[in-house]
Amino acid sequence: MGVVTLMAGSMAFTACTDDVKFGNSFIEKQPGGTLTIDSVFSNPEYTRQFLTGIYALQYYGLPFGQSTTISQNPYYGKLDGLTDCYQTHYNSTAIYQSFYSGTMTANLEPLISFTKDYVWEAVRQAWLLIENIDRVEGLSESEKANMVAQAKCLIAARYFDLFSVYGGLPIIDHPFTGSEGSYEMPRATADTTVIFMTNLLDEAIPNLRWAYNGTTTDTDAANNTGRWTAAGAMALKAKILLFAASPLYNADQGYYGGTTEAEQKHLVWHGNYDANRWQKALQACQDFFTRLNSEGYYKLTEPADVNCSKNANGYRQAYRMGYIYEGSKEVLHSTRVATVYGSQGTYSWWSWSNPLGSVHRSTYHPTLEYMSMFPWSDGSPFDWESDSLKNKISGTSGQLFYKYTVGRGGAVAVTPSRDPRLYENILVNGMTYQFDWTSGTPTGDKYELWVGGYDGQGDAMSATYNSSTKDYDLALQEKLTRPFSTGFGHIKYTIGEEFHRKFMHWVYLSLDEMYLMYAECLAQTGNLAEAIRQVDVVRSRVGMGGLAVRNPKLNLASNKDNLIEEILRERACELGLSNNRYYDMIRYKRTDWITKQLHGLITFRLLQNSKGEWVRSYEPWKGSHKDNGIAEPRCFDYMRFALFNRARVQWSQDPNSVEVKKWLLFPFPITEINKGYGLVQNPGWD
């Protein structure tokens, strides 16, 4: 669809009254414009523009502007900032102030708002289109059916955006007349909400194109990228059913103990465990891949697709272009809004995230725990706690992120030592400033994240020379609003000038996610061998060996629990900063992730002194050392440290306590509860 604005989506309907107040403005007149229902649905072009406007009300996952919706506002923050993968250090965000501190209440806005994220505006406008489409002259019956199908996908997607963090929702199945003075809209059960969403998708799929592949004028990919397709709808159905089958909803007892009103009414779980729910999710995945095998088009991006060699950097580039390129055949559905990247927006994702810039408010600092999830480059597991690892990564033979091989004449060959996806999710010591998006070649100076390094400075730890002791005083810093407060920086969706001043899309659903959802459903239904094969499809794209082969101690071919744990880890590595780690945390009720003490990593540069001893150096290389011919640093020591700057309250709590379990779903706003139309609060937020 290219860049979507709010123009068409903000058309006012003067036929509506102001009696019903669902959410902030469920039925209120929209600001600006004077077009009526009659005029919009009497003109084919106006109707098409109206549908396009609803697309502008979709979820977009990169917070960028203060005056926009809650989920897009950088002063609230991203869901993954609540997981074990990231720690945010901008103290003006809701994440830092309300979630880490444990002071979130039903009077405050969570990271996806029930009333302030355009959900109900999108639902209402989609139903208006569905109800009035037959009035439009000049549209073929097939185009009408396609437009209705897109509208149903928009409703289902907006419902899922809330269902994923709130549970069962009020079912809105018409646009309302605007004349209701009072109304009841009780919260539906979790199961009813799932059926409502999946029924909409089932009705839509037959009237949607599988893909906009550019083979004919009316399927031109450039003009239609971002529209709902059958592939996107089938993927969303699979994801909804995956949620419905997951332990949060599919269990013998409600997650809060089973005694709350929301649990008793089955609003936040199904009331029982049923293995058939996993079978339904599995069938949805199989239906998707059966049609993919028949229709083709979508595929994982391989190094050959971007003219890169099948080496570490080529694999890294394939991963990047798979998610970032708007023409990627890996993206099943994406959303976009205007002025969100580069210098256009008041607060753009790029401007607040660029590690080389001066503002770092949208930086989501990766943790040591996240770094440790990424395997070695051959696919074998990385274990920070192993004794053999400590000898392997530190000192003159260290290769935590890169292997340095000295050849003839002192020439040093640098080879990435880890999973290529690590370098596309975490900015680590030794990475280059640039990575050419066409050739897949790292270029430019390298990030110096060691204590005293050119880039690391004192973000995580400072070193101050003490003239009295003739030594350095070290102090942990973990500074606020700095790019490397945990010793790492984030790079996902923040990839440099190649996309500066361009419109950055948000990947809502992707093929790599489908492979991993399929693997999870296979594992949950007992087909461990096929589950491993699906994971290996994703791993092979970045050149790593088979999951079971590289993890022989886990007995993945026979140990279901270990395999599911590995699939969740693979999802974290493959789908970084995409909300999926947060989704996995809540749907698997992983309160152990919520209460886990997280860590950062201090890097020390080693420099050989006049006696030939390797000692710590607290000076940057770029500058006098480089100018005076000192070899580029390749020897390092490391120290992990417990994150302490706004340590999360939950880290000190019992993972089995209700104080922790309440965080598995967001609270509904108390203002909505008090309206009395049937909204029941989630457990623990009364």
Side-chain angles (χ1 to χ4, degrees):
M1 285 182 61
V3 177
V4 175
T5 69
L6 290 175
M7 178 185 68
S10 62
M11 292 179 179
F13 292 125
T14 57
C16 297
T17 71
D18 295 327
D19 294 328
V20 176
K21 306 290 186 183
F22 185 76
N24 257 12
S25 55
F26 178 62
I27 201 69
E28 293 194 68
K29 300 170 187 175
Q30 299 296 309
T34 58
L35 289 175
T36 65
I37 291 178
D38 288 339
S39 59
V40 168
F41 294 110
S42 65
N43 183 299
E45 192 54 39
Y46 284 168
T47 305
R48 294 186 187 105
Q49 290 177 7
F50 181 67
L51 174 60
T52 298
I54 305 173
Y55 274 91
L57 305 178
Q58 295 179 104
Y59 177 83
Y60 180 83
L62 302 177
F64 69 93
Q66 183 179 3
S67 61
T68 185
T69 63
I70 295 298
S71 63
Q72 295 171 10
N73 190 328
Y75 287 98
Y76 286 86
K78 284 185 57 59
L79 293 174
D80 278 345
L82 302 177
T83 71
D84 56 345
C85 292
Y86 300 95
Q87 180 86 344
T88 185
H89 288 80
Y90 180 35
N91 61 359
S92 292
T93 61
I95 289 179
Y96 192 93
Q97 292 185 341
S98 301
F99 285 86
Y100 290 176
S101 67
T103 59
M104 182 70 195
T105 71
N107 288 311
L108 302 173
E109 289 290 350
L111 306 189
I112 296 182
S113 173
F114 180 70
T115 58
K116 298 179 181 179
D117 264 312
Y118 291 147
V119 172
W120 305 114
E121 290 84 349
V123 169
R124 172 178 179 261
Q125 292 182 29
W127 280 123
L128 282 169
L129 184 142
I130 293 168
E131 280 204 350
N132 289 278
I133 193 71
D134 285 335
R135 301 170 55 184
V136 185
E137 297 180 0
L139 290 177
S140 68
E141 291 304 310
S142 62
E143 185 174 2
K144 287 180 180 179
N146 180 263
M147 293 175 74
V148 167
Q150 291 181 58
K152 288 181 177 180
C153 289
L154 288 162
I155 295 170
R158 294 275 45 196
Y159 259 82
F160 173 73
D161 296 334
L162 294 187
F163 173 77
S164 63
V165 292
Y166 288 97
L169 302 165
I171 301 300
I172 309 301
D173 56 7
H174 63 285
F176 283 77
T177 65
S179 62
E180 295 88 349
S182 63
Y183 57 99
E184 288 189 5
M185 229 174 302
R187 215 182 144 184
T189 66
D191 189 55
T192 299
T193 307
V194 168
I195 292 171
F196 175 69
M197 293 185 286
T198 55
N199 280 351
L200 286 170
L201 295 170
D202 284 339
E203 294 165 5
I205 289 167
N207 295 309
L208 293 169
R209 301 182 188 279
W210 173 247
Y212 287 95
N213 55 21
T215 57
T216 62
T217 301
D218 64 342
T219 58
D220 178 65
N223 291 331
N224 289 287
T225 299
R227 288 199 182 274
W228 278 98
T229 62
M234 294 178 78
L236 179 57
K237 178 182 177 181
K239 190 165 187 173
I240 291 169
L241 291 174
L242 181 82
F243 260 79
S246 296
L248 179 68
Y249 296 106
N250 193 17
D252 289 327
Q253 181 175 303
Y255 69 88
Y256 204 71
T259 61
T260 64
E261 182 180 4
E263 291 170 301
Q264 291 288 309
K265 292 183 175 180
H266 298 168
L267 307 180
V268 293
W269 68 311
H270 299 312
N272 68 327
Y273 173 80
D274 187 347
N276 190 51
R277 294 189 181 103
W278 281 112
Q279 291 291 345
K280 289 181 179 179
L282 174 63
Q283 186 62 56
C285 291
Q286 290 172 334
D287 290 345
F288 173 89
F289 283 104
T290 295
R291 189 158 177 189
L292 176 62
N293 291 336
S294 172
E295 305 236 15
Y297 184 71
Y298 298 102
K299 63 176 184 176
L300 295 182
T301 305
E302 301 284 349
D305 295 339
V306 288
N307 300 316
C308 297
S309 301
K310 288 194 173 183
N311 56 33
N313 291 322
Y315 290 127
R316 176 182 165 187
Q317 183 65 348
Y319 174 84
R320 170 180 295 193
M321 299 312 295
Y323 85 88
I324 208 69
Y325 181 51
E326 285 200 352
S328 170
K329 295 181 180 180
E330 194 169 315
V331 176
L332 302 177
H333 187 68
S334 59
T335 62
R336 61 197 45 72
V337 288
T339 66
V340 300
Y341 206 75
S343 60
Q344 302 103 317
T346 304
Y347 306 107
S348 74
W349 175 255
W350 166 260
S351 298
W352 280 17
S353 304
N354 177 13
L356 295 176
S358 59
V359 181
H360 305 105
R361 296 172 184 172
S362 290
T363 295
Y364 290 81
H365 299 97
T367 63
L368 177 68
E369 283 71 18
Y370 188 32
M371 182 276 287
S372 300
M373 294 180 195
F374 292 88
W376 295 103
S377 59
D378 66 354
S380 57
F382 179 94
D383 182 2
W384 182 265
E385 300 298 335
S386 70
D387 292 334
S388 60
L389 175 72
K390 294 171 184 175
N391 295 327
K392 187 176 182 181
I393 66 174
S394 295
T396 58
S397 61
Q399 50 180 300
L400 179 58
F401 303 120
Y402 295 95
K403 183 178 181 180
Y404 300 89
T405 305
V406 181
R408 290 184 177 181
V412 179
V414 182
T415 307
S417 59
R418 302 286 293 281
D419 178 346
R421 298 172 297 187
L422 178 143
Y423 309 96
E424 290 295 309
N425 283 281
I426 304 178
L427 202 162
V428 299
N429 182 58
M431 284 177 60
T432 59
Y433 282 2
Q434 287 86 36
F435 189 84
D436 188 280
W437 75 289
T438 301
S439 65
T441 305
T443 60
D445 284 327
K446 296 178 180 178
Y447 283 96
E448 299 180 2
L449 303 190
W450 62 79
V451 180
Y454 186 87
D455 302 286
Q457 300 294 333
D459 287 11
M461 173 178 276
S462 67
T464 305
Y465 186 73
N466 188 323
S467 58
S468 299
T469 62
K470 308 298 183 183
D471 201 355
Y472 283 86
D473 295 327
L474 302 179
L476 288 173
Q477 299 288 297
E478 200 188 332
K479 289 183 178 178
L480 299 178
T481 322
R482 291 293 302 161
F484 309 110
S485 299
T486 61
F488 307 113
H490 96 243
I491 188 173
K492 189 76 177 284
Y493 279 107
T494 308
I495 60 176
E497 290 295 322
E498 59 264 35
F499 276 90
H500 197 197
R501 299 184 182 89
K502 296 186 181 181
F503 299 106
M504 181 67 69
H505 71 181
W506 165 258
V507 178
Y508 192 80
L509 292 160
S510 58
L511 185 57
D512 52 348
E513 183 183 356
M514 276 302 305
Y515 278 114
L516 294 173
M517 286 197 294
Y518 189 20
E520 183 181 343
C521 292
L522 287 163
Q524 286 285 6
T525 53
N527 193 343
L528 307 190
E530 185 61 19
I532 292 167
R533 195 180 77 80
Q534 297 302 323
V535 175
D536 287 348
V537 171
V538 175
R539 284 166 63 94
S540 65
R541 188 262 293 274
V542 289
M544 291 195 300
L547 183 66
V549 173
R550 296 300 184 188
N551 290 273
K553 295 181 180 179
L554 296 180
N555 300 313
L556 299 180
S558 59
N559 191 314
K560 174 182 173 181
D561 291 341
N562 283 354
L563 178 55
I564 290 170
E565 195 71 16
E566 279 299 291
I567 290 171
L568 295 179
R569 182 196 55 73
E570 279 290 320
R571 284 173 56 84
C573 296
E574 180 70 23
L575 306 171
L577 211 68
S578 67
N579 294 348
N580 279 290
R581 184 64 172 180
Y582 182 80
Y583 291 154
D584 292 349
M585 180 177 75
I586 60 175
R587 65 189 181 88
Y588 270 92
K589 300 187 289 191
R590 293 304 296 264
T591 53
D592 58 322
W593 295 357
I594 296 176
T595 56
K596 181 194 306 180
Q597 169 69 58
L598 302 179
H599 298 81
L601 185 69
I602 304 296
T603 302
F604 297 101
R605 174 192 174 189
L606 300 181
L607 184 64
Q608 205 165 19
N609 62 18
S610 58
K611 299 178 181 179
E613 301 167 328
W614 290 93
V615 296
R616 290 178 179 177
S617 172
Y618 302 107
E619 300 176 72
W621 180 70
K622 280 173 283 191
S624 61
H625 283 204
K626 180 179 179 181
D627 294 340
N628 290 321
I630 296 177
E632 185 176 307
R634 59 182 176 83
C635 301
F636 305 97
D637 270 336
Y638 304 95
M639 180 188 80
R640 74 173 187 170
F641 70 100
L643 298 180
F644 60 88
N645 200 334
R646 186 44 68 89
R648 305 182 200 181
V649 167
Q650 296 86 358
W651 291 349
S652 62
Q653 295 177 332
D654 179 356
N656 297 312
S657 67
V658 292
E659 289 83 3
V660 172
K661 290 179 179 179
K662 78 173 186 177
W663 297 97
L664 292 173
L665 288 177
F666 286 163
F668 288 98
I670 195 66
T671 53
E672 292 297 298
I673 302 290
N674 292 339
K675 288 178 181 178
Y677 56 77
L679 200 61
V680 175
Q681 186 58 278
N682 278 332
W685 295 106
D686 296 324

